[in-house]
Structure formats: C-alpha cells, structure tokens
Amino acid sequence: MSQLDMNTLLTRLLNQVADINAEADLIANRDKAFSLKADKGELGEYKVTSSQQIGIRLIKEGRVGIAYSESLDEAALAAMLQDALDASRFAKLDADQAIRVEDSQISTDCAEINQPDSTPVEEKISLALRLEADMLALPDVTGAPYNSFFEGESRLWLANSRGTLCQHQEFSVGCYSSALISRDGRQSMHSQGQYGRRFDELDSQDLITQIHAVADALLAGEAVPSGHYSAIFTPNTLASLFGCFQAALSGKWAQQGINPWRDKLGQQVASRWLSLESRAYMPGGMNIKGFDGEGAPTRDLLLIGEGELKTLLHNSATAHHFGVASNGSAARSARSALDVTARHLVFGTGPHAEAEVKSGEYLELVKLDGLHSGADAVSGDFSFGASGFLCRDGVRIQPVRGITVAGNFYRLLGELEAVGNQLHHDDGKGFYAPLIRFSGLSIAGK
C-alpha cells in the first residue's frame, strides 16, 4: 500500500468514526525484518518477515475502546471499528482521555535514522558467520551459542479526528554474539550486542574482543566478603537497573496512585549531583522520533535537576488528570492503550574527573541477573545476582562472581560519592550517563 493509499484509508476510517458520533486516533505501521543466525559454521536461520497492523483508540461518550487488525481489507477494518465500539460500551467513564492533539502534521525530519542500505546480503551472511567463527578461534572459547545479524525497516502513520496526520520511517541494524569460556574446570559466559543505522557501523571484531575480554576476566571470579561497598555500574548495567524503576517518572503510574514519586514534584529525590533529561535527539541515538504516541511533538524535558524532581512524563490524559500541560511523552502502539515513555534518558555530567570517580576501592558491576524478579518498583527494594570486579584506583584487582547486590533504588540515588564529567551510552543507544559512584551498596558474598 502506498503512502497516499494509507492516508486515504485512515481518512475513510475517521469519517466512519465521525458517523457514529465518536472520536478516535489511529496508528498504522508496516514493518520489514531480516535476521540471520550462525550455528556450527552454517546459517541456522535466514528469516525475512513483514507485518502490518492498524489500531484504533475510540472515544465515545467518555468511554474508551481499543482494537486492532492485522488485515487492511474493508471487512477486517469494519470489524475492528465495531470491536472498539463494543469495548467502549463496557468501559468505565474516563474523563481524562480525549482526542486533544489538533492539526499536527509532523514527519520525523532526521535523515540519519533512515539511510538507504545497498549492502549485498552476502556481506551480512559473512558477518553472521564471522561472529561465530572468530569467537570460537579465541583462546579457551568452547562455545558461541548466540550469533546473529538483524535489521529492520519500519513505517508508521498516526491520524486522529482533529486533523492530525503524522508519519515516521526508520531503518536499523544490529548484531549479537556470545562466548562460553572453559578453563581448569571453570566456565564463564558473556553476551553483548551492537546497534546502528548503517551496516558499516557494525564492528564485529570490536564486539568479539569486548565479549571475550569480559568472559575471560570473570572466569576466575570469586565472591567477596559480605559487607557494604562503593559501586560503579557500567552503562549497560546502570541502564538495566534504572529500567526496573523508570515508572517513578511515569505520570500514568502517578494517576493510578502507585508512583512513589507522585507527591514529590519540586522536592529532592536524589543527590544534587544528579540531573536527568529525556532528550528527543541524541547523535546516533536509537529512539529518535518527531512526535509522540498522540501526535504531539517530542521535546527535551528536564526530569530531575540537581536532585529535584521537575516533572513527570505526561500524555494528554495524565496531564488533564493533574491539571498540567502534556509534555510530548505519550506512548501507544497499534495494539496498546495510552501510556507514557521517555525518548533518550540522559544523566547530566558531574564535577569529577573519571580518575576521581575511580579513586580508592570499589566494585565495578558488569553483569546483573534476575533483574525484574528481584525488583519492586513501588518500594524501590532490589536484590540481584551480580558479577564484576573489585577495583582499586581504576585497576581491576580481582574478578567477582557469585554475589548478591541489594539495596533500595530511591535511597541509592541520594547516596552518590562522585559523578564523572564524561558521558557514555549503553549498547542500545537509548541511555546515556557518566560514571556514577554509589556508596554503601549491600553485598552478600562469602
């Protein structure tokens, strides 16, 4: 279906919504994906997929109905509209939800996220096979069970009853590998990925080197004595940890009464060294999009400034509930209800050189296990398995495995010993932070 045809289809559906005296917003997307997996020197998977779906959030007499269809033929769309109408009849009255974004005509204007790809498929196959072969050629590697290349192209349309029609298109690539190292009766495994917008951004050798270095270094790891330790999380582990508690920034959680920060606006929630933004654009970022899940423009938001909670993430419904302005943080897919999300989470840099952050003795945590089962987003309590290194003045002096890291996330944000002055990102390029040194983390070891 061409762009013109999709626009026509959305307009026709919205006219049908108007005929039943309702309002709606529609999200349609078309996705193409290509993936390769290497297994024992051969391609274990060569998969090409494509999908399309359209979803509706229909509002009639203050009640909301959600429905979607994977078919765009007339009968399927009529059934979808009827399903949404039927769902709305049994829904509770919701005075906060309405179609409020008017006449938004945004197309994501960022050439870097949708670059044409002319890479021969043979080069992509070669990369997938090389990930496995080159990893297995390294010392003491007895297995490389996960090796893959993947790419995806996505097109999205968002339209509503108030004249909004927004469009977004992007292309991304990535690869992933792993190493199982065995030596002297011990085993260690580590996995990692790379993500980008162009095939030539992927560096399989660098990825392999990083994975092998961590797996090899952790092989001799032992538990440290139980106690309280200063700790530095790598960008990936800090992103994972923060992801367990990101709902503290959610206006929807606050609306539901379960956000622990719902009454904290204008108050200190973290150390004065800590600031946090949601940024619409970061160079090379993987969450660039010109509009949110309702068609409002995305923008930079200061969420925490010098430890003070400045705002929560709001869509139009949560903003209406609290009597504040929506801030372009709506999230919705074709299948989902209205929610909120950040774009790129960016912690501000601090006053300390990285040598200062790494001074003295601390734990560098490079792997966390059992995150979501070991985290309570409401209370902030967490307990995870962890691996890493005992360090002194920036030098790894002992690999560490078999420990449990426990604490309270919300208290942890106030227990900062140092914040570095250089920004780093996680592998997914959606989370950015300097080195942050936390104090008093409880470690259960030996």
Side-chain angles (χ1 to χ4, degrees), residues 147-317:
N147 302 276
S148 61
F149 166 82
F150 42 88
E151 66 181 36
E153 180 182 353
S154 177
R155 297 192 66 180
L156 181 144
W157 294 259
L158 187 155
N160 72 22
S161 299
R162 294 184 176 266
T164 288
L165 177 59
C166 299
Q167 300 177 53
H168 174 85
Q169 187 167 355
E170 66 175 270
F171 179 79
S172 61
V173 297
C175 60
Y176 189 87
S177 190
S178 58
L180 175 65
I181 293 181
S182 303
R183 187 168 61 241
D184 301 328
R186 300 173 68 94
Q187 288 189 328
S188 174
M189 186 167 172
H190 185 60
S191 306
Q192 201 169 314
Q194 281 184 349
Y195 302 85
R197 300 293 184 182
R198 301 191 319 272
F199 181 81
D200 61 11
E201 291 178 350
L202 302 179
D203 186 338
S204 63
Q205 196 55 54
D206 181 60
L207 179 63
I208 289 167
T209 299
Q210 291 182 43
I211 294 170
H212 183 268
V214 173
D216 186 65
L218 288 175
L219 187 67
E222 300 284 355
V224 293
S226 298
H228 290 83
Y229 291 78
S230 298
I232 297 174
F233 295 83
T234 63
N236 283 341
T237 54
L238 185 59
S240 297
L241 175 66
F242 196 85
C244 294
F245 301 96
Q246 192 171 322
L249 300 170
S250 168
K252 184 170 183 179
W253 269 46
Q255 182 184 20
Q256 294 169 343
I258 55 177
N259 186 336
W261 284 353
R262 62 188 178 276
D263 299 318
K264 298 286 188 181
L265 283 175
Q267 299 180 31
Q268 292 292 127
V269 295
S271 163
R272 293 187 179 277
W273 287 334
L274 192 144
S275 293
L276 175 63
E277 293 180 81
S278 172
R279 291 192 191 171
Y281 174 81
M282 288 293 287
M286 299 301 290
N287 295 333
I288 298 168
K289 194 175 179 183
F291 54 93
D292 72 358
E294 294 181 283
T298 53
R299 57 190 176 93
D300 295 346
L301 298 173
L302 180 62
L303 301 168
I304 300 173
E306 297 183 346
E308 180 182 306
L309 183 63
K310 299 294 188 180
T311 188
L312 298 176
L313 300 166
H314 284 297
N315 56 42
S316 68

